[in-house]
Amino acid sequence: MFTKSNRCLLPARWFLQKVEILLLLLVVGHQFLFPVPASAVKKQDVTVSKGLKLTFMVDKSMEFIHGEIVIFYTAPVKNPAVPYLVMLNLFNEELNGGSGIPGILRKMGNDFELEQNPDYLVLKVNFLPDKISNFARLIKSLYKYKPLMNIMAYTESQRYRKLKDAQEQFKRSVDNYWKYFYEMETWKREIAYQIAYQWLFANHFPGKGLISQEFLQKVKLEDLRAFYLQTYRFPNSHVILKGDVKPHMAIAMLEDQLGGFKNQEPIVPVYEPLVVHDERKVVIFNIDAREPPVLFWFESIPPMNDNGYMPMLVLDRILYGYPYGKIYHSPGKNGIGYVRIKTEIENHRSISVICNITAIAPRDIEKFIDLVDGEKKRMERSTISRKEVLYASSYFHGKIKVDSRHYDSDFNQEIVESILDLKTDQISNLVPEETMQLTMRVINHRQTKEESKKGIVVIVGNARQIIPYFKNIKPIVLSYRK
Amino acid sequence: MKKFIKVILIVFLIYLSTLFYGETVNIKITTFELANGLKVILSPMENLEASCVMLYHQTGVRNDPPEIRGASHLFETLMNYGTQNFEPYDRVFLIRSHGGFSNSKVNYDYSFFSLVVPDTEIDFALSLESQRIDSLRLNNSNITNTKNYYYKRYSSPNIHFLAANQVKELLLQGTVYETPVYGKLESMKDFPNNKIKKIYDNYRNLSNTLIVIAGKMDIAKTRASIEKHFSNLTFKRKPNKITYSIIEPQVKNINEEWKIRNLPQPFIIYGIRAPSKLSPEYVYFDFIRYHLLDKRISKLERVLKKKHNLDVNISYEYTDYFETNVLLIKIVAASRYILGRVKYFMDREWGIFHQKGKVVSTSDFRTVKSLMELDFKKNLWDVEKRCLYLAENYHLKGDLNFASSYLSQLNQLTALDLKRVGKMYLKKENMVILNVYKK
C-alpha cells in the first residue's frame, strides 16, 4: 500500500507556489514591461452572424473610440416627416423619459450626433474603450425598439399598456416636432437643404416637400412602424469603429447582444433615377431673427465616380475660394461687406450637390447674387488659366491632408463606398493625385452654358429686412413655424 | 480559505494595474534647445498627414507697461503684416492656399501663433514664423489702422458684450486681470505707436519663446528645419520671470440692474470667481461646470427647459487665465416673468451645494467623469490643442507629463470634493449678478 507522504510532495508544492508568485508578478507587471505601442491603423472588415457589417480601424494612438452606425434607406419615402419622426422617437431624451437609447448614450458620456441624409441616417458617437459593452447594447436597442416594432413583440399582458404608451409618445413627438427641430444647432442648414432638395429633386424622398404641419398631421404610428421595420435592419446597416478598440471583444459582445434576433434577409435597395430641376430659384425662409441672414447656394454636379466631379469642384474653388477666388477680385465686390464662403458637398448615388454657405447682410444679398452670376458669365466666355487650376488643385490636395487630423476623416470614405458601390482604391484614386493631372481641356470643356442661370439660393433670415433691398429678384417667401 | 484569499488578491492586483494603466497616456515628446536658447518641443503623431506649428510666447497683456496696458492684444492682428520676404497677410493666405489655416491669441498670461498645415509644409510654416518674430514690418500706418479696427470692434453697442465685461471687471477688481484684455477703450487710440513697437521685443525675445510642433513629422528633418530657420536669430533678453500664485475669490455680493431701451429679451448674468489653473480645485470646479452647463449633459438645461418648460437660452463663458478665473452664466428669457422663475430655480441650484445630501447623482457623476476624460483625450488628438496643452503646462508648471496627472486627478475626484469646491465658489456672497431688463 502506498501512503501519502508530505516529504514526497514538498518539492512539487514549493515549485507550484513559486510559479504562482511569478504568474502574479507577470500579470501585474506586464502593463509596465510591455506597454502596447502605437502603430499604423489596422483595418478589418467583418460581418457578424445576423448580417451586420462591421469595419474596425484599430488605432492605439487614439485613446478613445469614435463609432458610426450608418443605416441606409432602402426604399423611397412618401412622407418626408416619417424618417425625422422615427429619429425623434428613438433618440429624444424627453420623449423616452431618459431610458432606452438616450439612457445608454448618457452612460457612454452623451457625446453623440445624428445626421439625417437623403440616403442614410448616421449616428456618430464618441466613448471611452471601457464603454464598448454599452455600445453593443446601443446597437441592440436601436434595432429592437419595441414601441415601433410589431405588437407581437410584447407579452399579452403588456400589449394594451405598451401600445397606449407608444401612441402617446408618437403623439407627443408630432405635437412637439417643431420645438425639437428648432433646438437643433443645425436647424437652419436642415431647413435650407429641405427647401433646396424640394426644388432640385422633386421625386426623391427629401424632395417630397418641406416638412409642413400638413405632412405631420398625415403621419400615423403605423407609417413610422412600417418605415422602421423596413429600414432599421442589419443587412442595410454598417457599423464603423475607430480608435483603441479590440475587434474580437467587440464582435463577441455584439454576437451576444444580437443573439435574440432573427436572421434578416437583405432588401435590395430601390433607387429611383433622380430628375434634376436646377433652374434658378431664390427662396427666403422667413424667421423672426435679428442676426444676419444665412445664404445657402445649391448646385448639382456629377457624382463622385464621374470624370466631371473634380473639375466642378475645382471651378467652384476658382470662383469662391478665399482669398484668390474670382468673387474677391471682381469689381462687383466693391460695396459688398465681409463675405466668407464655407463649402459643403453631399455625395449621392447618381448626383452630388455642392452648397456654398455664407452669412451676409440683407443689403448685400442681391448684389452678391449678381456678383456671382456676373463672374460665372465671364468664366463661360473666357478660358480658365493653368495657374488658377493649379492653385485650386493644390488647395484640395492640401485640405485632404489637413483634414486627416480629424478622427472621423476616414469615415466618409467608407460611407461613400457603400453608396456608390466603389472599392477603396477606386475612391482614393479620384482625389487627390488626379486633381494635379487635370488638363486645361478637361476644365474648360466642363463649363456648360448658362451656369449663371442655375442653382437654388435659399436665404434663412428676416424677410421684412431683406426684401426692401431686392430690386430685380422676385424671391419666393416661405414661412416659419415655432 | 487561503486559496480564496489568493484569488481575491490576484483579482484586486489586476484591477489596480489596469487603474494605473488606464492613467498612462501615450504621448511621444522630444525636447531640445538651440544654441541661442530657443526651446523646442516636438510631439510626433502617426496616422495623420497634418501638423501644427505653434510659437508660444510666455508674454501677454500683463507684461505691458501700465500706461499702454492692452497694447499686446493688437499684435493678434499686427503679426499678420509683412515681413522681410512676405507681404501683409501672406502668412494667412499662403497657408490657406495649401488647405491649412492659421490662428492666434494674445491673452493676459501668454500668446500663441499657430499654423496647421499638411505635414509636407512644416518647413514653409517655420520659415513664416521665423520671419514673423524677426523682421515684422511695423510702421505707424499699420499700427494706427489696427488701433482703429479694434476700437471700432470693441466699442460696439452690443449690450450682451458690455454686460459680460462689466461683470468680469467687478469680479476681477484688484487683480492683474481687471482691465479687459484690449485695455481701456477710451485710451486705446492714444497709445503711442513707438511704445507699441517696443512691445514687439517681447515677442522677439527668444527666452520667452517656445516652438511646439505636434502631428506627423520626421524628427530629424524637422529639427534640421528649425535649426535652418531659427538658429541665426539672436534677439535675447531676460525672460519674463513671473511667479504665478493663486488669487483667492473675494466677497462681492453685488446685485446690479440695468434698464435698456429696446432690449428684445431680458437676461441675467451670474458671475462666479473660479479657481486658478495652479489650484488643485481647478479640475473639480471644471467638473461642476460640465455638470451644470455642458450642452450634452447640462443640468441647468434639464431643470430650466425640460423640467420646468421655461423658454430660455443658456450660454456661458469661461476665462482662460493662470492665477484666477471667471465663469459667466448668461440666461436669456422670453419675458421678465420667466426670468423671475429662472432666478428662483437658480437659487435652488446654488443651494444644493450648501445643504446636506448629494450634489450630483451617482449616474450623473459617472457620466460627467466619463465625458471629461473623453474630451481630454479627444483634445490630445487635436494637433493644435495638443500644442497648447504642452506649451501651457511647460510654462505654468515646467511639466510635460500633464496628461497622466490630469487623468489621475480626475480619477480620484469624489462627491465630497465637489461639495467642498461648490461650497467655496458657488455662494452668492462671492457672486456678481447683473439683471438686464427692457426700459
Side-chain angles (χ1 to χ4, degrees):
Chain A
M1 297 272 288
F2 294 99
T3 54
K4 283 185 185 172
S5 161
N6 285 344
R7 192 179 270 273
C8 231
L9 288 170
L10 192 59
R13 181 177 274 180
W14 174 90
F15 179 71
L16 277 172
Q17 279 176 347
K18 296 301 173 230
V19 166
E20 266 180 10
I21 293 167
L22 193 63
L23 279 173
L24 203 63
L25 283 170
L26 271 175
V27 160
V28 173
H30 89 279
Q31 313 281 12
F32 304 102
L33 295 173
F34 308 110
V36 178
S39 56
V41 177
K42 287 181 187 141
K43 192 176 164 191
Q44 191 181 338
D45 287 314
V46 165
T47 303
V48 293
S49 58
K50 301 298 174 187
L52 179 64
K53 184 181 169 196
L54 303 170
T55 298
F56 294 99
M57 293 187 252
V58 180
D59 183 353
K60 296 279 181 200
S61 64
M62 192 170 132
E63 302 201 33
F64 60 98
I65 300 174
H66 176 76
E68 293 195 9
I69 304 170
V70 190
I71 300 167
F72 294 98
Y73 297 138
T74 51
V77 181
K78 290 191 178 123
N79 188 326
V82 168
Y84 285 93
L85 284 168
V86 167
M87 206 171 77
L88 260 183
N89 277 273
L90 285 169
F91 294 101
N92 187 282
E93 201 168 357
E94 213 174 301
L95 286 172
N96 279 277
S99 61
I101 294 169
I104 299 173
L105 285 167
R106 213 175 159 75
K107 283 187 182 142
M108 294 166 73
N110 226 35
D111 187 15
F112 75 96
E113 194 189 317
L114 280 163
E115 191 187 300
Q116 178 81 279
N117 181 284
D119 297 316
Y120 56 83
L121 168 77
V122 60
L123 166 64
K124 304 180 186 185
V125 58
N126 297 308
F127 55 97
L128 293 170
D130 61 353
K131 303 284 182 214
I132 190 74
S133 57
N134 290 89
F135 185 78
R137 283 179 47 229
L138 173 67
I139 292 192
K140 180 186 176 182
S141 298
L142 190 57
Y143 291 89
K144 207 171 199 174
Y145 185 68
K146 285 188 175 173
L148 290 179
M149 290 187 77
N150 203 297
I151 187 175
M152 302 308 287
Y154 297 114
T155 61
E156 215 171 304
S157 59
Q158 291 175 323
R159 261 174 225 160
Y160 176 73
R161 190 169 60 84
K162 289 291 182 185
L163 275 176
K164 195 170 167 236
D165 289 345
Q167 195 65 41
E168 275 173 14
Q169 183 177 309
F170 163 70
K171 187 176 180 304
R172 280 201 326 271
S173 69
V174 171
D175 292 344
N176 291 299
Y177 175 82
W178 294 112
K179 177 188 155 201
Y180 297 136
F181 184 84
Y182 290 117
E183 275 174 3
M184 275 198 296
E185 275 187 43
T186 56
W187 71 265
K188 284 184 186 174
R189 182 192 175 280
E190 288 290 324
I191 280 278
Y193 270 78
Q194 281 181 23
I195 294 170
Y197 275 55
Q198 178 182 359
W199 292 111
L200 280 172
F201 317 117
N203 66 324
H204 191 48
F205 122 66
K208 299 297 180 196
L210 183 64
I211 294 173
S212 61
Q213 199 54 26
E214 197 190 323
F215 273 123
L216 283 171
Q217 271 159 8
K218 279 183 187 164
V219 177
K220 295 187 184 51
L221 181 58
E222 289 70 39
D223 298 328
L224 266 61
R225 281 216 177 99
F227 176 81
Y228 174 79
L229 289 169
Q230 186 179 39
T231 310
Y232 286 69
R233 309 171 86 254
F234 297 133
N236 55 291
S237 302
H238 187 177
V239 174
I240 313 163
L241 289 165
K242 181 181 176 185
D244 187 9
V245 58
K246 293 179 177 61
H248 59 279
M249 204 189 285
I251 293 166
M253 285 180 183
L254 272 166
E255 291 283 12
D256 182 49
Q257 290 290 336
L258 305 186
F261 285 82
K262 287 184 191 151
N263 288 333
Q264 294 169 340
E265 290 300 317
I267 292 180
V268 177
V270 174
Y271 294 114
E272 291 175 339
L274 284 179
V275 178
V276 184
H277 302 280
D278 58 358
E279 302 82 29
R280 171 63 54 82
K281 295 253 181 332
V282 178
V283 182
I284 299 176
F285 186 77
N286 180 36
I287 58 171
D288 181 23
R290 284 167 185 257
E291 64 258 25
V294 183
L295 184 146
F296 299 80
W297 194 313
F298 295 87
E299 287 178 41
S300 61
I301 61 173
M304 205 176 181
N305 54 351
D306 187 289
N307 287 336
Y309 179 78
M310 274 316 298
M312 291 309 291
L313 290 195
V314 167
L315 283 171
D316 187 87
R317 180 78 197 159
I318 288 169
L319 182 62
Y320 293 108
Y322 181 75
Y324 303 117
K326 287 193 178 299
I327 62 165
Y328 299 102
H329 302 280
S330 167
K333 176 66 172 70
N334 293 331
I336 296 179
Y338 181 84
V339 161
R340 287 295 175 268
I341 314 273
K342 180 184 143 184
T343 304
E344 290 182 359
I345 302 162
E346 287 288 344
N347 292 303
H348 303 297
R349 198 173 172 82
S350 58
I351 207 145
S352 290
V353 174
I354 200 165
C355 178
N356 290 292
I357 308 167
T358 182
I360 187 166
R363 65 176 179 274
D364 292 336
I365 294 176
E366 192 176 59
K367 287 188 227 169
F368 177 76
I369 295 173
D370 289 341
L371 163 68
V372 171
D373 285 343
E375 286 306 317
K376 280 184 176 180
K377 276 197 185 108
R378 260 188 277 277
M379 282 166 74
E380 284 162 24
R381 286 196 296 266
S382 61
T383 51
I384 306 292
S385 72
R386 181 78 181 150
K387 186 174 162 186
E388 285 171 314
V389 172
L390 281 176
Y391 270 140
S393 303
S394 163
Y395 167 79
F396 283 117
H397 190 87
K399 182 122 181 20
I400 285 165
K401 285 186 159 231
V402 167
D403 284 350
S404 71
R405 77 191 194 286
H406 297 303
Y407 48 77
D408 59 352
S409 60
D410 352 39
F411 283 68
N412 193 43
Q413 186 170 310
E414 294 293 322
I415 295 171
V416 167
E417 268 183 43
S418 298
I419 294 173
L420 298 179
D421 271 341
L422 292 179
K423 301 280 175 259
T424 311
D425 53 353
Q426 286 176 295
I427 297 271
S428 53
N429 281 344
L430 291 173
V431 291
E433 297 306 326
E434 299 255 312
T435 65
M436 304 301 284
Q437 309 301 322
L438 287 170
T439 63
M440 297 316 300
R441 187 180 58 79
V442 169
I443 284 285
N444 285 296
H445 176 68
R446 287 294 159 193
Q447 289 194 83
T448 57
K449 297 244 184 292
E450 300 192 333
E451 285 291 334
S452 55
K453 290 188 184 162
K454 290 189 180 166
I456 313 293
V457 180
V458 179
I459 304 149
V460 182
N462 191 324
R464 262 180 284 176
Q465 289 177 0
I466 298 167
I467 289 176
Y469 291 102
F470 279 14
K471 294 186 179 114
N472 303 312
I473 294 176
K474 303 272 180 279
I476 300 163
V477 181
L478 300 174
S479 59
Y480 154 84
R481 185 194 159 89
K482 203 169 184 187
Chain B
M1 187 61 188
K2 273 187 184 173
K3 268 191 185 166
F4 177 72
I5 292 169
K6 257 189 207 160
V7 165
I8 299 291
L9 190 64
I10 290 168
V11 167
F12 178 66
L13 283 170
I14 292 172
Y15 168 70
L16 263 186
S17 73
T18 57
L19 213 58
F20 284 113
Y21 179 63
E23 289 172 358
T24 306
V25 178
N26 189 18
I27 304 180
K28 291 182 200 162
I29 299 171
T30 303
T31 59
F32 59 94
E33 196 172 313
L34 298 183
N36 57 15
L38 190 59
K39 294 184 180 56
V40 181
I41 303 171
L42 302 180
S43 182
M45 294 165 74
E46 294 165 29
N47 309 326
L48 65 166
E49 293 178 271
S51 306
C52 174
V53 173
M54 178 182 284
L55 253 68
Y56 179 96
H57 302 277
Q58 296 174 68
T59 184
V61 167
R62 69 188 296 156
N63 302 99
D64 292 345
E67 65 277 16
I68 57 165
R69 175 64 50 90
S72 286
H73 189 63
L74 301 174
F75 279 83
E76 262 188 30
T77 299
L78 285 171
M79 288 293 194
N80 290 323
Y81 280 100
T83 60
Q84 185 185 3
N85 295 327
F86 295 103
E87 292 302 308
Y89 287 89
D90 267 357
R91 182 175 171 274
V92 173
F93 296 158
L94 290 172
I95 291 298
R96 211 173 279 216
S97 69
H98 282 110
F101 61 90
S102 61
N103 207 353
S104 57
K105 182 175 179 178
V106 173
N107 207 347
Y108 286 92
D109 304 302
Y110 66 82
S111 313
F112 76 79
F113 299 85
S114 63
L115 301 170
V116 178
V117 294
D119 60 309
T120 44
E121 304 302 324
I122 291 178
D123 184 76
F124 177 60
L126 286 167
S127 76
L128 284 171
E129 287 303 286
S130 70
Q131 291 214 13
R132 182 180 62 76
I133 63 168
D134 188 47
S135 61
L136 187 69
R137 284 188 243 151
L138 284 174
N139 55 49
N140 285 331
S141 162
N142 58 31
I143 293 176
T144 304
N145 287 341
T146 306
K147 281 192 294 189
N148 290 339
Y149 164 72
Y150 278 101
Y151 181 83
K152 196 175 163 188
R153 180 169 149 184
Y154 290 121
S155 58
S156 144
N158 183 323
I159 189 63
H160 293 263
F161 176 78
L162 292 170
N165 263 12
Q166 169 73 354
V167 173
K168 260 191 271 182
E169 249 182 77
L170 287 168
L171 277 167
L172 294 168
Q173 221 164 32
T175 72
V176 70
Y177 307 109
E178 76 175 291
T179 45
V181 72
Y182 50 82
K184 287 199 164 92
L185 205 56
E186 57 274 16
S187 39
M188 185 199 281
K189 274 186 161 182
D190 299 325
F191 287 167
N193 286 0
N194 58 331
K195 288 198 175 175
I196 294 173
K197 282 181 195 172
K198 271 215 85 58
I199 287 181
Y200 180 51
D201 287 348
N202 287 345
Y203 293 99
R204 297 177 65 203
N205 186 358
L206 300 177
S207 308
N208 282 344
T209 306
L210 281 173
I211 299 178
V212 190
I213 305 178
K216 186 171 178 188
M217 70 183 95
D218 178 310
I219 299 269
K221 271 190 190 163
T222 306
R223 191 167 177 151
S225 266
I226 294 170
E227 296 270 2
K228 179 173 94 183
H229 294 294
F230 288 88
S231 55
N232 57 342
L233 301 185
T234 54
F235 193 93
K236 197 172 175 186
R237 299 288 181 269
K238 277 188 213 165
N240 292 334
K241 272 282 177 207
I242 296 175
T243 309
Y244 299 103
S245 55
I246 298 170
I247 303 176
E248 299 290 351
Q250 301 154 334
V251 173
K252 288 288 169 188
N253 202 9
I254 295 174
N255 209 319
E256 272 194 19
E257 203 173 280
W258 286 2
K259 292 222 167 93
I260 307 294
R261 215 180 280 278
N262 299 323
L263 183 74
Q265 287 178 320
F267 61 93
I268 185 168
I269 298 183
Y270 290 91
I272 301 159
R273 279 283 287 274
S276 154
K277 280 190 173 179
L278 288 163
S279 166
E281 283 140 16
Y282 185 78
V283 173
Y284 306 151
F285 188 87
D286 211 28
F287 184 105
I288 295 173
R289 177 183 67 83
Y290 261 85
H291 170 57
L292 292 177
L293 296 160
D294 187 286
K295 287 271 182 207
R296 292 164 289 185
I297 46 167
S298 164
K299 190 185 179 198
L300 291 186
E301 294 265 342
R302 270 182 285 151
V303 167
L304 296 178
K305 289 168 88 161
K306 299 199 180 350
K307 187 175 175 187
H308 297 287
N309 213 22
L310 298 176
D311 188 0
V312 294
N313 185 17
I314 306 168
S315 59
Y316 72 93
E317 187 189 324
Y318 194 31
T319 56
D320 180 32
Y321 308 150
F322 282 179
E323 294 183 308
T324 188
N325 280 291
V326 160
L327 174 65
L328 299 181
I329 303 173
K330 184 173 80 178
I331 305 175
V332 182
S335 70
R336 192 161 170 167
Y337 166 71
I338 292 175
L339 200 65
R341 296 202 67 204
V342 163
K343 288 200 270 191
Y344 170 73
F345 292 123
M346 288 300 288
D347 283 346
R348 277 184 23 187
E349 285 306 310
W350 306 135
I352 287 172
F353 291 91
H354 303 278
Q355 292 158 8
K356 278 184 187 169
K358 280 186 184 175
V359 297
V360 181
S361 68
T362 311
S363 62
D364 277 357
F365 184 81
R366 280 198 219 117
T367 301
V368 175
K369 234 188 188 182
S370 210
L371 192 56
M372 284 178 74
E373 188 179 336
L374 179 60
D375 277 354
F376 181 71
K377 289 179 172 174
K378 277 163 66 182
N379 286 341
L380 280 182
W381 180 259
D382 182 301
V383 292
E384 199 181 14
K385 285 182 183 146
R386 182 184 277 215
C387 282
L388 191 56
Y389 272 144
L390 285 165
E392 205 180 273
N393 277 278
Y394 179 81
H395 181 187
L396 196 50
K397 300 170 188 168
D399 171 28
L400 291 174
N401 191 27
F402 63 94
S404 300
S405 56
Y406 175 85
L407 291 173
S408 169
Q409 209 180 353
L410 187 61
N411 205 37
Q412 288 161 19
L413 188 153
T414 64
L416 285 172
D417 294 317
L418 296 177
K419 190 132 198 181
R420 179 176 53 81
V421 169
K423 248 186 181 166
M424 201 187 306
Y425 291 94
L426 297 179
K427 49 187 178 186
K428 285 182 99 175
E429 303 86 76
N430 290 0
M431 287 188 197
V432 171
I433 303 171
L434 176 59
N435 302 273
V436 184
Y437 302 120
K438 184 177 177 178
K439 198 166 188 177

